[in-house]
Amino acid sequence: MRNDIYELLNTITDEEKKILEGDSDIKKELYTSEDDFVVDSSKLLAQGKLIDIRPHTRFAYFPTHRHNYIEMVCILKGELTTHFVDGETLTLKAGDILLLNRHARHDIEPCGKDDIAINFIILPEFFSRTQIFYDRNDILRDFIVTSLSDKQNYNDYILYHAKGILTVENLIENLIWTLIYHKNDMNTIAMSTMDLLLMNLCTLSSDSLTDMSRGSNSTTIQALEYIDTHFADATLDELASLTGYSTAYLSRLLKQNTGLNFKQLLQQRRLQEAAYLLESTTLTTEKIIKKIGYENSAYFYRIFEAKYGQSPKDYRGSTHIMNKKS
């Protein structure tokens, strides 16, 4: 990271000056007009912009909140600790990238002067302006699609440990430089750079989070590979036998590293396979249900419609229509 960018991001803001002078509470009116603490993009973005950045406010506790946009938190230096309302705690280190969907509720512990985090504000319209070029079975693509839904879902976040990944680090630096120094005249370049950043993150997740492979994350990779290849008959008990860990530990580990527990990851993989088979084969829905490992047809129909917003029959019809048009 260029020194001039670091120096600029390390500058004490007017909000931080007031906090250091004793006005220690975060002023909600700077972030929202609602009684419920929903950080509002209209308070942070200029009209017409789809993405922007904002340095995280240091020195003060940031109370429980959510956003009406997708947030990407990048830790440039130091660390940041956040608590989710379900009790999870994440301590992010330099190089970590955390994507939060619009329904995730969390708070943030006070950061020190040398803890530098950047919040990327990404409006839902950013993803609808063009085709999403992420792999069909990719974790990031699924996260984005579900994040754009108005229905709350269990996948609150994705965490990437990207320290030392040169392409990702360069793209983040380019984005910060563009959005700081060319805020009004390089909007298209900024959005294209964000596309490239997401596409590079996509390669990490589609490779079973390969770059999260140190320590306990190797077990996460093993679990994801097991689910990917054995989704039709996978069980948490069998995974525990393969890894040597208890089922309770594995479920907590998967939730910590992917945002989903074993059952949710298995369901996600099965539904992805069902959608693929509906798109690319003439198998009946009943045969697809058995092929992906479900016995209860009514349950399958319910969770499929909850995920994709339509029945399997309608989904197959809509994809066939789109294929004919293309």
Side-chain angles (χ1 to χ4, degrees), residues 25-44:
D25 292 334
I26 291 291
K27 301 303 180 187
K28 292 184 179 181
E29 61 270 18
L30 297 175
Y31 300 91
T32 186
S33 301
E34 302 182 26
D35 293 334
D36 188 22
F37 198 173
V38 180
V39 180
D40 188 351
S41 60
S42 67
K43 292 275 190 177
L44 307 176

Side-chain angles (χ1 to χ4, degrees), residues 231-260:
F231 58 85
D233 56 3
T235 66
L236 186 56
D237 286 334
E238 184 178 41
L239 178 60
S241 177
L242 290 171
T243 61
Y245 293 107
S246 70
T247 56
Y249 172 80
L250 286 170
S251 198
R252 286 197 304 272
L253 183 67
L254 288 170
K255 181 71 174 178
Q256 176 182 332
N257 286 344
T258 70
L260 307 177

Side-chain angles (χ1 to χ4, degrees), residues 94-231:
D96 285 349
I97 299 173
L98 179 70
L99 278 95
L100 295 158
N101 76 25
R102 295 185 297 152
H103 307 291
R105 297 186 62 83
H106 67 124
D107 67 5
I108 304 172
E109 292 184 5
C111 289
K113 186 178 187 300
D114 293 326
D115 299 321
I116 302 177
I118 286 291
N119 300 325
F120 285 93
I121 303 154
I122 313 174
L123 294 190
E125 292 85 349
F126 172 82
F127 299 101
S128 61
R129 78 194 197 286
T130 185
Q131 179 184 355
I132 299 176
F133 294 100
Y134 317 131
D135 291 343
R136 177 181 57 81
N137 285 332
D138 178 68
I139 294 171
L140 177 56
R141 181 190 182 281
D142 190 72
F143 170 82
I144 291 171
V145 171
T146 55
S147 295
L148 299 180
S149 169
D150 289 332
K151 296 180 180 179
Q152 185 167 357
N153 56 78
Y154 47 73
N155 193 1
D156 282 341
Y157 67 84
I158 297 180
L159 173 61
Y160 293 98
H161 301 298
K163 185 175 182 178
I165 301 174
L166 189 60
T167 52
V168 172
E169 292 179 341
N170 285 344
L171 287 166
I172 289 174
E173 181 174 355
N174 289 342
L175 260 177
I176 294 172
W177 182 84
T178 302
L179 292 170
I180 288 178
Y181 294 110
H182 296 274
K183 185 176 288 288
N184 299 316
D185 61 342
M186 294 178 65
N187 198 38
T188 300
I189 290 177
M191 290 194 293
S192 297
T193 307
M194 177 61 79
D195 280 330
L196 288 171
L197 175 58
L198 292 171
M199 290 169 69
N200 274 270
L201 292 178
C202 177
T203 66
L204 305 186
S205 59
S206 63
D207 202 18
S208 297
L209 306 180
T210 298
D211 292 288
M212 299 172 68
S213 59
R214 292 185 175 84
S216 64
N217 286 313
S218 60
T219 305
T220 301
I221 293 169
Q222 184 180 358
L224 291 172
E225 290 175 342
Y226 168 75
I227 291 170
D228 189 53
T229 56
H230 298 85
F231 58 85

